[in-house]
Amino acid sequence: FEKPKLVWKRIGSILRFCYDEQAAYCLDSTCIATGSKVKFLTAVLNSKLCNRELFRLSPKTGTGDLIISVQALNPLRIPIPNEKQETVICDLLDKIIELKKLNPEENTDSIEAEIDQLVYELYELTEEEIGVVEG
């Protein structure tokens, strides 16, 4: 729990993946992941593309909530970034984190859109495919 980690709730209708480096302890209703690219993974999982795919592929409860276990993330097949891609995406996530620390209500849509574009590039999506995700 002391390591930087990715934290998310297992069941819900709203997807939120959180990067934690404050050594938070989590309840059993959450999942955690640690590793060398956990900050990068946090940004990618919060992208429009990954959210769309999780809503499409993840199992659901009887009430329609998503069940986002570790196994639900496996079909996403996150590309391994080169050093530049990882740095740029992590720097953008750091900006969002800093802005939200100062003001949790801060609008970070433009930075999130930048991350979305970088994620589309990672997956080598065409303009048509991007249109489907954005649509």
Side-chain angles (χ1 to χ4, degrees), residues 49-74:
L49 176 62
C50 286
N51 266 253
R52 181 183 190 282
E53 289 302 289
L54 285 169
F55 271 100
R56 188 174 71 83
L57 298 171
S58 297
K60 295 172 181 59
T61 66
T63 60
D65 285 341
L66 297 174
I67 303 170
I68 307 296
S69 62
V70 174
Q71 294 82 0
L73 301 180
N74 192 46

Side-chain angles (χ1 to χ4, degrees), residues 113-131:
E114 286 183 64
I115 293 173
D116 287 334
Q117 290 303 314
L118 293 167
V119 170
Y120 299 150
E121 290 174 22
L122 277 173
Y123 282 93
E124 300 178 354
L125 266 56
T126 64
E127 289 299 320
E128 183 180 334
E129 292 166 328
I130 293 169

